Amino acid sequence: MDRQATVGRVGAGSIRNPEGLSMSEPSADVSATVEYTMDKWRMDRLPWAMWACVAGLAIALHAESRGQNGAVLATVYLALLGLAFAGYALTTLIGRSGLPLLVELLVGVLVLIIVSGVIGVISVLVGGPSGRSSYVGTMPSLYWSHLVNPSLNVFGWMLLYLGCGWIAFSAYRHFYSDRAVVSMSAAGIHFHRPWLKGLFIPWQEVRGVGHLVVPGISGVPYVSPYAAAVTVDQDFYEQHIAPKRSFLSPPGAEAMFQPKGESMQVVLSSADMAVKPEDFLGPAEARWKAFRDQPASPSHRGGTVFYGRWSIDGSRWQAVQFLAPLVGLALVMLYR
């Protein structure tokens, strides 16, 4: 289905025909709640995870091990990489905290020392000696641990772990869906991001629905065709949105809020949802026009329409995407 919409128990309600929505669109029923999920974005990357498993299995089976336990060392490597990433993320968040420069520097150095110390202790406890080399006497310290000089099959196990982990996570979230990232009801727009909890914009506070408008290089405003946004008053933004913005937000999250004259634009679409901007604008405009002058009531409750849900579309390309890695996996197992 082109719009990636799935209807779940859409209740009866008045069918309107707002601009951009046909009468046959499930989301044209303004009594229905529209939810936008990351499911398709995750599932579209599942074939790449399957290829990672194929490559990892091939390397783990055919590469030399030099007597090392590749499965165990791969686990340690991933743990160390996760620890290093956590240290980087923590120092980035400290930089956003608004602390004085000296305090920020001291805390950053402390985090670096702690992370480096933990990595060193784990390396000493788990690494073990890896044997002598032709460089003994000149640079012997580079060969004190398996973690410094791993065999190739360790990286094969790492690919296996990462690929299987993504497959398990994506499949679980597909069958047991998490909360929608954005949802639109008769009452307004709800945002459910971990770093932006509890954000709700009633339709009465929305001043416009359309594509994102940003300043152009020549000074002429540029209308982005890749982002859908709603416009709210600056006062509403300062009182109800700005306090909910957390320094825990990921890099680039500030692009969700863009000024437009005396107003503020709140972007609905994002790269982590495989949904076209038009699929945000149509339902948003329909509900804004229907409820901007009147509060929602219990009688406006309908069913649920989903966008961004992955489904089997029966296309040859989708079949090739999922069957080709399985064929590769069978060949690796056959010629091991």
Side-chain angles (χ1 to χ4, degrees):
M1 197 185 313
D2 182 52
R3 287 186 174 273
Q4 294 297 332
T6 306
V7 183
R9 196 179 58 81
V10 176
S14 59
I15 303 295
R16 303 171 187 263
N17 188 25
E19 184 179 356
L21 283 178
S22 66
M23 295 293 289
S24 61
E25 283 290 336
S27 57
D29 180 2
V30 295
S31 67
T33 298
V34 185
E35 297 190 347
Y36 301 85
T37 73
M38 294 177 57
D39 182 56
K40 188 176 187 300
W41 183 89
R42 287 190 291 254
M43 292 294 291
D44 282 346
R45 283 148 183 79
L46 196 144
W48 292 103
M50 296 172 67
W51 279 116
C53 291
V54 173
L57 184 62
I59 295 173
L61 290 177
H62 298 288
E64 63 172 341
S65 64
R66 298 205 300 267
Q68 298 177 2
N69 191 329
V72 174
L73 286 180
T75 304
V76 177
Y77 262 97
L78 291 176
L80 293 178
L81 288 175
L83 182 61
F85 177 78
Y88 166 75
L90 183 57
T91 54
T92 302
L93 293 177
I94 292 172
R96 299 182 187 177
S97 62
L99 293 173
L101 180 59
L102 180 59
V103 177
E104 180 183 328
L105 179 61
L106 292 176
V107 175
V109 171
L110 180 61
V111 171
L112 178 62
I113 292 174
I114 293 175
V115 171
S116 301
V118 173
I119 291 177
V121 170
I122 294 177
S123 300
V124 170
L125 294 178
V126 180
S130 64
R132 298 175 61 85
S133 71
S134 60
Y135 290 94
V136 172
T138 57
M139 295 181 64
S141 60
L142 295 179
Y143 293 89
W144 62 272
S145 171
H146 286 314
L147 294 177
V148 178
N149 188 26
S151 58
L152 187 60
N153 76 330
V154 173
F155 298 102
W157 281 101
M158 290 178 66
L159 286 173
L160 269 173
Y161 290 152
L162 292 173
C164 290
W166 186 263
I167 291 172
F169 173 70
S170 300
Y172 175 79
R173 279 307 184 193
H174 177 70
F175 293 105
Y176 300 94
S177 302
D178 54 347
R179 201 171 188 181
V181 179
V182 179
S183 62
M184 302 180 192
S185 66
I189 307 173
H190 299 258
F191 295 85
H192 310 293
R193 294 188 178 276
W195 51 272
L196 194 66
K197 292 184 177 180
L199 177 58
F200 170 67
I201 304 177
W203 295 118
Q204 291 79 13
E205 300 295 339
V206 175
R207 298 296 175 259
V209 178
H211 288 280
L212 177 68
V213 179
V214 295
I217 299 178
S218 61
V220 179
Y222 170 71
V223 180
S224 173
Y226 308 107
V230 294
T231 305
V232 298
D233 288 337
Q234 186 68 29
D235 290 341
F236 178 82
Y237 171 80
E238 296 292 343
Q239 295 179 18
H240 300 280
I241 298 180
K244 296 182 180 296
R245 296 184 60 177
S246 170
F247 72 96
L248 296 175
S249 59
E254 61 277 0
M256 181 177 173
F257 306 98
Q258 298 288 334
K260 181 183 179 183
E262 299 297 326
S263 304
M264 181 65 71
Q265 299 173 101
V266 182
V267 178
L268 303 175
S269 55
S270 63
D272 57 3
M273 291 182 288
V275 182
K276 295 180 293 185
E278 290 74 16
D279 292 333
F280 285 94
L281 295 177
E285 186 176 8
R287 284 150 185 78
W288 176 53
K289 289 181 177 180
F291 302 112
R292 60 184 173 183
D293 296 325
Q294 58 177 340
S297 65
S299 62
H300 290 134
R301 294 178 182 176
T304 304
V305 181
F306 296 98
Y307 283 89
R309 291 289 297 272
W310 182 87
S311 62
I312 299 176
D313 58 16
S315 65
R316 293 183 179 179
W317 172 240
Q318 189 182 68
V320 170
Q321 280 184 305
F322 284 88
L323 291 178
L326 295 178
V327 173
L329 185 64
L331 292 175
V332 170
M333 295 296 295
L334 184 63
Y335 294 101
R336 61 176 179 173

